[in-house]
Amino acid sequence: MNGFLAQLTSPAVIGLLLTGSLLVVTTDWRIGFGALAVQYLLAALLIAQIVVWQVVVVKLLVGFLVVTIIVLTGRQVNYGYQLDSESGLPQIRFEISTGLPFRVVAVATVLVAAWYFASQSDFTLAGVPLGLSVGSYLLLGLGLLNLGLTEEPMNAGLGLLTLLTGFELIYAAVEPSLA
């Protein structure tokens, strides 16, 4: 089973990069909710390398419950869209930040920094696989980046959850118990 999980490490880290980047680049809550759900799934795949399967299931369930609560909150406020004055329907539009080139370069910088820190023995814990270290540093960096670049509370919350997921990945190596 561990050999199979080791084969999934690279796709999981690439998926974490894509979902974290999506949270930084876009401002649409609906896209962010989906990216966060996929992020929890991929983080569970990575964490399965070092903990028992019961811990993985609990972390996955908690992640999906968090996403469900946030989706319900987003639905109550029409996903942050203003209502049209004539029809009363929400004005739905896909928005990409005007600072898109800056955000893309910042995400690339976080990727390089995460890979560097994960490859240095001074910054990693003994016995933690490289893919798990890269994934945790990547989520920590992208979560901080998202928190620093957004002023909207829901997007800041998604960034904070990304940051906490990255911390959870690295902390699972220190404390692998279910509690």
Side-chain angles (χ1 to χ4, degrees), residues 146-163:
N146 198 5
L147 278 172
L149 292 178
T150 189
E151 56 189 36
E152 191 173 69
M154 185 64 80
N155 288 333
L158 295 176
L160 184 62
L161 288 170
T162 299
L163 177 73

Side-chain angles (χ1 to χ4, degrees), residues 74-158:
R75 281 189 60 204
Q76 286 183 339
V77 294
N78 291 326
Y79 299 105
Y81 294 119
Q82 301 294 327
L83 295 178
D84 188 18
S85 59
E86 295 176 10
S87 66
L89 298 172
Q91 297 174 345
I92 298 175
R93 60 185 184 274
F94 180 73
E95 293 180 8
I96 295 179
S97 173
T98 55
L100 180 65
F102 172 77
R103 289 175 184 251
V104 170
V105 169
V107 165
T109 305
V110 167
L111 172 64
V112 170
W115 184 264
Y116 173 76
F117 285 131
S119 65
Q120 299 298 313
S121 62
D122 295 339
F123 295 109
T124 59
L125 296 172
V128 177
L130 178 66
L132 185 66
S133 292
V134 171
S136 64
Y137 282 127
L138 191 62
L139 289 179
L140 286 168
L142 290 174
L144 283 172
L145 182 64
N146 198 5
L147 278 172
L149 292 178
T150 189
E151 56 189 36
E152 191 173 69
M154 185 64 80
N155 288 333
L158 295 176

Side-chain angles (χ1 to χ4, degrees), residues 1-14 45-46 49 129 131:
M1 183 71 171
N2 271 347
F4 178 69
L5 292 174
Q7 291 176 351
L8 291 178
T9 299
S10 294
V13 171
I14 292 170
L45 280 175
L46 278 180
Q49 298 177 32

